[in-house]
Amino acid sequence: MTVAVRVIPCLDVDAGRVVKGVNFRGLRDAGDPVELAAAYDRDGADELVFLDVTASSQDRETMHEVVARTADQVFIPVTAGGGVRSVDDVDRLLRAGADKVSLNTAAIARPDLLTEVADRFGAQCVVISVDARRAAGTASGFEVTTHGGRRGTGIDAVQWAARAAGLGAGEVLLNSMDADGTKAGFDLPLISAVRAVVDVPVIASGGAGKAADFAPAIAAGADAVLAASLFHFGELRIADVKDELDRAGYPVRMPHPTARQ
C-alpha cells in the first residue's frame, strides 16, 4: 500500500449538535459540530464525515448550515449524508461546501440515483453508505439494513456494495451494525468480503475500541478507518491512531507534533 491510510472522525448531527449513541439509541450530546471539526482538523484528521441522523426537512436545513460553517473553518475534505434523496439534494450539499455526499436509503430504493449523481458531479463525489449486519439467507451472510440497523432489507450487503460501485459510487462507507458501539474491533470478515468485490476505496466503520483495532481493518482491506465516540469523548486522539498505524507499517499523513500534546 502506497496511498496514505485516512483516519476519519464521524460526526452524527441532530438539530445542529453532534450526538452519539449505540445503533442511534441513547444519544448523548457530544458538542458543537463546527468546533469539533476544527479541532479534528488541527489534530490531523484526513477527512470528516457528517451524518444527519434525523434528516427531517428542518434538520436538513441545519445540516447545510453546519456544512457551510465547517467548510469555512477546515481545509480537509468533508462528506455529508443523511436524508439525501435526489440529485438536487446532492447539489445543495456540494454547494454548501461538502466535497462528497453519502447516499444510503434512497439509493437502495432507486439504484439509478447513484449513476445520475455520478454523471452530474463525478464518481469522486459519490459515497455509498452500506449499513450491514449478519443475516441468514444471503449469499455472503450479510444483509443491508436501514433505520440504524434495525430494519433488514434482505439485500445481500456484499453484492449491493459491488453493484453500487458499478453504478457510479466512488467510495464505500461500510458500517458494521453488529460491531457498532461494541468497541470489540472492526468486523474484519465483512471488510474482507467487500474488498474482494469492489475496486473503489472502502472506509471501515463500526467497532473501534482502542488504537490497536485500526491496523487489522487495513489488513482486511480497508483504505480508511472511521470512528466517532472514541474521538468525541477523548478516549483516543487522531495522533494515537496514526502512530499505531505507522508502527504497523502503514503509510499515514502524520499530524503536526502539537497534535500529540
Side-chain angles (χ1 to χ4, degrees):
M1 176 180 291
T2 56
V3 177
V5 172
R6 289 169 291 149
V7 179
I8 305 173
C10 180
L11 297 93
D12 296 326
V13 178
D14 180 12
R17 299 291 291 179
V18 175
V19 296
K20 187 57 187 172
V22 177
N23 286 331
F24 300 100
R25 296 172 179 167
L27 298 179
R28 301 192 272 170
D29 187 288
D32 176 76
V34 180
E35 290 178 5
L36 279 172
Y40 289 139
D41 188 14
R42 291 192 300 270
D43 283 352
D46 297 298
E47 296 185 12
L48 296 168
V49 171
F50 283 113
L51 295 178
D52 182 343
V53 297
T54 49
S56 70
S57 58
Q58 180 180 358
D59 285 332
R60 202 170 304 118
E61 291 297 326
T62 302
M63 176 63 87
H64 293 142
E65 189 260 343
V66 166
V67 169
R69 286 197 296 130
T70 300
D72 285 339
Q73 296 288 324
V74 306
F75 302 96
I76 54 178
V78 173
T79 298
V84 178
R85 298 182 177 89
S86 67
V87 173
D88 286 343
D89 288 342
V90 173
D91 182 62
R92 292 191 66 207
L93 283 167
L94 293 175
R95 288 179 184 275
D99 299 276
K100 296 182 277 188
V101 175
S102 169
L103 297 107
N104 188 340
T105 303
I108 295 168
R110 195 171 71 82
D112 285 346
L113 177 60
L114 293 166
T115 304
E116 293 167 10
V117 175
D119 285 349
R120 181 164 171 184
F121 304 109
Q124 79 283 350
C125 292
V126 186
V127 179
I128 184 67
S129 182
V130 181
D131 293 342
R133 71 180 180 192
R134 282 171 172 72
T138 57
S140 68
F142 297 96
E143 74 169 337
V144 175
T145 69
T146 60
H147 299 81
R150 295 189 291 275
R151 185 174 299 180
T153 63
I155 298 169
D156 186 283
V158 176
Q159 293 175 2
W160 169 237
R163 184 183 179 197
L167 287 168
E171 194 161 46
V172 177
L173 174 53
L174 184 60
N175 310 300
S176 170
M177 304 316 296
D178 296 316
D180 181 67
T182 65
K183 298 188 177 179
F186 291 92
D187 191 326
L188 305 183
L190 174 62
I191 296 168
S192 296
V194 171
R195 173 79 282 158
V197 298
V198 303
D199 57 7
V200 300
V202 174
I203 303 170
S205 171
K210 56 186 182 299
D213 288 334
F214 291 86
I218 305 304
D223 301 273
V225 284
L226 179 148
S229 57
L230 275 184
F231 295 141
H232 301 338
F233 298 114
E235 296 172 56
L236 278 179
R237 301 286 297 275
I238 302 294
D240 298 330
V241 175
K242 290 195 170 185
D243 285 343
E244 189 72 23
L245 290 170
D246 182 56
R247 281 193 291 270
Y250 295 111
V252 292
R253 299 181 189 91
M254 296 306 293
H256 189 276
T258 58
R260 290 180 172 77
Q261 293 177 3

